[in-house]
């Protein structure tokens, strides 16, 4: 999948520089193991499972960074179609609106355009994954107690990028010939967050009726019928 994504999307249009793993570290070895499994054509449900003997926090950290890189690449290429005029509100159709809160500049849930929301999101994630107190890279340094909680918040917000791109820019995905690659990336993300119960099931409702999902995949078929306004940092 990684090779396909790079062929379809313009790596020069990433929103933020790719976060790389330091060669020789355990995190780098886990990343290589995960990538090898992806390229081998294994079932994605099996690919996301924790390898025997490995730390769950290391496994989650590797995937959070990798998903950030992939989604950053996807949206960076799509961003020319996502403008202040076309997307004045960060939303997933008429039923879902996402507001931004970061306890810094935006202390209360604030309505932003999709491009503004994406900029705030990528800056915020980049700050977190580069913070050694949250994503330690030195050998012997433990993860903080709130690590998985932070990852849940990151992954929840990254999921909203998929929601916006699928609902508002799917025609552009098709025109780029990228549908299969974006679907694969999303399926990998979806199976990972479900494997470790990392996102509240309510957040998944906008995409519960994805066309690639067959029988037995879980939450049914078709678009959800509820209206929500998510408060960003609250989840």
């Amino acid at each position: 999948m990684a090779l396909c994504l790079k062929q379809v999307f313009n790596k020069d249009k990433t929103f933020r520089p790719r976060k790389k793993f330091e060669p020789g570290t355990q995190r780098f070895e886990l990343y290589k193991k995960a990538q090898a499994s992806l390229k081998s054509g294994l079932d994605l449900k099996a690919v996301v499972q924790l390898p025997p003997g490995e730390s769950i926090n290391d496994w989650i950290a590797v995937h959070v960074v990798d998903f950030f890189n992939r989604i950053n690449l996807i949206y960076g290429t799509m961003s020319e179609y996502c403008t202040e005029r076309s997307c004045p509100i960060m939303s997933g159709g008429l039923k879902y609106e996402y507001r931004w809160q970061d306890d810094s500049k935006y202390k209360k849930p604030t309505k932003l355009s999709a491009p503004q929301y994406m900029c705030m999101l990528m800056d915020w994630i980049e700050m977190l994954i580069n913070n050694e107190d949250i994503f330690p890279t030195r050998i012997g340094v433990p993860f903080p107690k709130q690590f998985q909680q932070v990852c849940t918040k990151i992954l929840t917000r990254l999921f909203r990028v998929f929601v916006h791109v699928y609902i508002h820019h799917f025609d552009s995905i098709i025109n780029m010939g990228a549908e299969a690659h974006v679907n694969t990336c999303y399926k990998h993300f979806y199976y990972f967050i479900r494997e470790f119960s990392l996102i509240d099931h309510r957040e998944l409702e906008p995409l519960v009726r994805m066309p690639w999902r067959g029988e037995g995949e879980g939450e049914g078929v078709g678009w959800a019928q509820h209206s929500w306004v998510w408060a960003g940092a609250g989840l």
Side-chain angles (χ1 to χ4, degrees):
M1 180 178 64
L3 292 177
C4 292
L5 279 171
K6 287 180 181 178
Q7 290 166 358
V8 172
F9 295 105
N10 185 346
K11 65 181 180 179
D12 296 325
K13 290 189 176 181
T14 56
F15 242 44
R16 300 292 180 273
R18 289 174 60 86
K19 171 72 174 179
K20 296 182 179 180
F21 300 101
E22 190 68 28
T25 63
Q26 182 183 17
R27 206 78 53 79
F28 181 74
E29 295 305 315
L30 276 177
Y31 173 72
K32 288 200 302 182
K33 184 182 295 186
Q35 293 302 299
S37 295
L38 279 173
K39 295 175 183 178
S40 70
L42 290 176
D43 180 0
L44 287 173
K45 288 183 179 180
V47 166
V48 300
Q49 294 173 1
L50 180 68
E54 300 293 354
S55 158
I56 187 171
N57 282 342
D58 276 318
W59 190 240
I60 291 175
V62 163
H63 281 80
V64 167
V65 173
D66 191 38
F67 287 135
F68 168 69
N69 285 337
R70 293 177 185 279
I71 295 170
N72 178 32
L73 178 61
I74 290 172
Y75 184 74
T77 302
M78 300 291 301
S79 61
E80 64 182 289
Y81 307 106
C82 184
T83 65
E84 299 285 335
R85 183 173 181 177
S86 67
C87 305
I89 297 174
M90 175 56 182
S91 62
L94 298 176
K95 300 178 184 298
Y96 298 88
E97 178 185 316
Y98 303 117
R99 297 184 179 182
W100 182 259
Q101 181 180 354
D102 55 21
D103 297 324
S104 178
K105 182 178 180 180
Y106 296 96
K107 298 184 182 297
K108 296 181 179 180
T110 304
K111 184 182 296 188
L112 298 177
S113 68
Q116 288 176 312
Y117 187 101
M118 298 299 183
C119 283
M120 297 301 300
L121 174 60
M122 298 306 174
D123 283 346
W124 176 75
I125 296 176
E126 188 175 38
M127 174 194 69
L128 289 174
I129 63 179
N130 286 321
N131 186 334
E132 283 285 334
D133 293 331
I134 300 174
F135 281 75
T137 58
R138 297 187 298 276
I139 296 176
V141 177
F143 287 91
K145 292 181 179 180
Q146 75 276 22
F147 175 71
Q148 289 190 26
Q149 182 180 350
V150 171
C151 290
T152 287
K153 192 176 292 187
I154 291 173
L155 293 168
T156 296
R157 290 179 165 182
L158 283 175
F159 179 79
R160 296 169 184 173
V161 180
F162 279 120
V163 173
H164 183 76
V165 168
Y166 269 119
I167 294 177
H168 295 276
H169 303 293
F170 195 65
D171 286 346
S172 297
I173 292 175
I174 293 175
N175 290 337
M176 293 169 62
E179 180 182 358
H181 307 305
V182 175
N183 283 347
T184 300
C185 185
Y186 173 70
K187 286 167 68 176
H188 183 202
F189 180 94
Y190 175 83
Y191 288 137
F192 183 80
I193 57 100
R194 291 306 300 268
E195 174 73 17
F196 300 103
S197 301
L198 290 169
I199 295 183
D200 188 302
H201 69 91
R202 295 175 300 168
E203 278 280 351
L204 304 178
E205 290 187 4
L207 297 183
V208 294
R209 298 184 178 187
M210 289 298 295
W212 54 264
R213 299 180 63 192
E215 295 181 2
E217 289 289 358
E219 294 90 349
V221 293
W223 295 109
Q225 297 299 315
H226 304 288
S227 178
W228 301 93
V229 176
W230 294 105
L235 291 174

